[in-house]
Each structure stands twice: as C-alpha cells, then as structure tokens.
Amino acid sequence: MEIARPDEDTPPANVLAQSRGGPTVLRILLGTQLRRLRTAKGISREDAGYEIRASHAKISRLELGQVSFKERDVADLLSLYGVEDPEERSTLLSLARQANNPGWWHKYSDVLPSWFEVYVGLEEAASIIRTYELQFVPGLLQAEEYARAVIMLGHGNAPVDEIDRRVHLRMTRQERLTGPNAPRLWAVVDEAALRRPLGGTHAMRAQLEHLIEMATLPNVTLQIVPFARGGHAAAGGPFSILRFTGADLPDVVYLEQLTSSVYFDKPEETDHYMAVMDRLCLEAAPASETPRYLRRILDDLG
C-alpha cells in the first residue's frame, strides 16, 4: 500500500494529538514525519538505510508505515536528520513506541489476512466511512446471522470455531458505530444486495430489521439504489472511501478482491472515486425513503 504524503514544506504536525485508531495510522503518521525530515535535509534513502544498518527498501517501508519501528532506529534517524529539539524528539520517539502496540484486532491474526489487517486499522481510525455495496450488505451493517452466511460463502470448509471467530471479529468492528468518537458511516447499497437471500428467510428478515434500526443512528446514513434506476455511476463494483481527522493523512480508497485488496491514495485517484460516490448518492433514493424501501422488501419476504 502506498500512502500519499503531504507537501515537503508542510511543517511538523502534533502527530500525537492527531493520532487515533491504533498502530496502523500511528505508523503512517510517523513515517510521514520521517520522510519529511529526510527530504528536507536532502538525504537519500540509501544513506538513511546505512545509518540504521538497513537497506533503502526498509526506509521506504518505514516511511510508508508498512512495518514496525525500532525506537533505536528512529533515534538514529532523527540525529541524522538534525532533529535536536528535545520536545520534538520526545514526541516522535513516543509515537514510535505507541505505533508498536498491537491493535485490538491483533488477537484475530489467525483469521485476519495481512492485506485486510491494514484496512481494519484504517477503518478504526477513520472519521468518515463512505461505502458502496452491490452484492452484500456492508460489513459494518451486517446482522450476526447474515454475517455468518456471508462468511460461509468463502470459508465453507473451515472449522466451526474459525467461523465463529470471523463472525466475532466482524461484530467487534461494528462496535465503533455506537461507541465514543463514532465515525460517520454513509452507505449506498444496491437493491440487489438486499433481495439476495443469504442464510434463509429468517436471516434476511433479521438483517432487514437490523438495517432499519441502524439507519436511525445519527451517524449512519443509508441509501438504496433501486432496480428502477437501471445502470449507475459505480459500474466497476463496490468500494469504500476512508477519511481521517488531521491534515497528515489523505483519503484512502479501498477495493477488496478475492484474496487481496487495492488501496488508492493519490488525489487524482481518490477524487475520481469521490465523484463517483457523490453521483451514486444523487442516483440513489433519498435516505428518508430508506425505511419504506426496507419494509417493502420485508413484506415481499412473506
């Protein structure tokens, strides 16, 4: 994953004040600062790597927030970059220590692929989550029985306890929506996802009722793209956009594939997806009509 960086002239930010959401974002924030300091001094990745007995590739991964930090390495890099101010050094070294603390999702590492672990960390830190789904109800809005049916599609041969852990992970992710500092979730769902029977009639009924309840939350906006709309802007498939508090992190677009994921963060890419999402919201039925649509689908279940 490549995370876009602010302009090199951007002054140091109070990264500890801006950080929230676990080690993924903390690593990215620290990497941003280290890259800014290195380039301001005109030091190459090769020379920085030599200073900490590492390759230029490791410096690149550190600056992208893709790997954990050794506090000694950060201290050596700060000295190389001419950072002598005790307060600035203390802030960045403290950030390095915090960035190495495992997130709550670390205990699910046995069922959480590395490519999705990055997303969970970003989701935990996001202040706004916008998502479009064509085939399934968005994971953050799935009822437990429905979530189990979705997970079984890709892991039908897994042991029961593994399925239970995957379901529990998904339910735990949802706790942010009703917890302190909850993000704003704006979901656009194609009607096809709401009419596709997963887990049987009972599971679908529970799922639709759950959506009606979730749509009443002040931080949740749910819109439906009815069949009658025909084709629409997101012809390419589902995607999510994550936005963060603070200027040091760009918007991130997330596209999930069968066994991997793709992240976009450059403005020329994320701006396109944002424009598509905005058009989807205009093409979808207004959020005020969502409860009526959901009840109609409930009635059609019989």
Side-chain angles (χ1 to χ4, degrees):
M1 177 182 67
E2 182 178 356
I3 296 295
R5 302 299 168 198
D7 294 338
E8 301 303 339
D9 294 333
T10 302
N14 185 347
V15 290
L16 284 178
Q18 294 182 8
S19 63
R20 190 216 174 278
T24 303
V25 169
L26 294 177
R27 288 198 303 263
I28 294 171
L29 286 169
L30 179 55
T32 297
Q33 303 304 315
L34 291 177
R35 181 173 185 265
R36 180 189 60 78
L37 293 166
R38 178 181 61 77
T39 56
K41 287 291 185 179
I43 297 173
S44 68
R45 288 192 178 96
E46 288 77 6
D47 289 342
Y50 180 81
E51 182 69 17
I52 63 170
R53 303 155 297 280
S55 66
H56 73 280
K58 180 176 179 179
I59 294 296
S60 179
R61 290 193 294 271
L62 286 172
E63 292 178 351
L64 292 172
Q66 294 178 337
V67 294
S68 60
F69 294 86
K70 292 181 180 178
E71 190 173 345
R72 183 187 67 181
D73 289 345
V74 174
D76 289 345
L77 289 174
L78 293 178
S79 296
L80 177 66
Y81 301 157
V83 179
E84 302 297 339
D85 179 72
E87 184 176 352
E88 186 175 359
R89 288 181 67 93
S90 176
T91 296
L92 292 171
L93 290 172
S94 178
L95 184 60
R97 288 191 294 273
Q98 293 185 44
N100 288 329
N101 293 330
W104 63 261
W105 54 90
H106 180 73
K107 63 182 179 181
Y108 294 97
S109 59
D110 57 321
V111 296
L112 187 62
S114 58
W115 54 266
F116 190 62
E117 182 176 355
V118 173
Y119 175 80
V120 173
L122 292 173
E123 179 185 81
E124 182 74 6
S127 59
I128 300 175
I129 303 169
R130 300 184 68 179
T131 186
Y132 167 69
E133 279 289 351
L134 175 66
Q135 188 172 5
F136 304 115
V137 171
L140 288 176
L141 295 175
Q142 291 179 5
E144 184 169 342
E145 191 175 353
Y146 179 93
R148 185 176 299 275
V150 173
I151 290 169
M152 287 290 291
L153 290 176
H155 305 278
N157 295 323
V160 174
D161 59 342
E162 178 182 326
I163 299 297
D164 289 343
R165 284 181 57 73
R166 292 181 182 275
V167 172
H168 193 262
L169 169 62
R170 188 160 303 183
M171 297 300 104
T172 304
R173 284 170 51 206
Q174 296 178 8
E175 292 177 3
R176 265 210 78 202
L177 292 178
T178 54
N181 301 311
R184 180 182 179 190
L185 173 65
W186 191 344
V188 180
V189 183
D190 195 279
E191 184 177 346
L194 303 174
R195 290 190 178 275
R196 180 171 289 107
L198 285 174
T201 302
H202 183 271
M204 285 305 301
R205 181 172 293 279
Q207 177 61 70
L208 293 167
E209 291 172 346
H210 180 67
L211 286 175
I212 293 173
E213 180 181 355
M214 294 299 292
T216 65
L217 295 178
N219 58 312
V220 174
T221 300
L222 176 60
Q223 290 184 263
I224 299 171
V225 182
F227 285 141
R229 291 290 192 272
H232 48 73
F239 63 95
S240 296
I241 305 173
L242 306 174
R243 175 161 289 181
F244 309 89
T245 301
D248 283 320
L249 285 173
D251 293 345
V252 174
V253 172
Y254 171 79
L255 285 76
E256 187 170 318
Q257 301 172 339
L258 284 177
T259 58
S260 63
S261 59
V262 177
Y263 296 85
F264 297 120
D265 63 329
K266 295 181 174 62
E268 61 269 24
E269 297 167 332
T270 58
D271 288 351
H272 171 72
Y273 278 92
M274 186 64 74
V276 170
M277 184 68 82
D278 288 341
R279 290 202 302 272
L280 274 171
C281 292
L282 292 174
E283 294 168 359
S288 60
E289 296 183 17
T290 294
R292 180 174 63 85
Y293 268 100
L294 293 172
R295 292 190 181 95
R296 180 188 302 169
I297 298 172
L298 263 173
D299 291 342
D300 291 343
L301 282 176

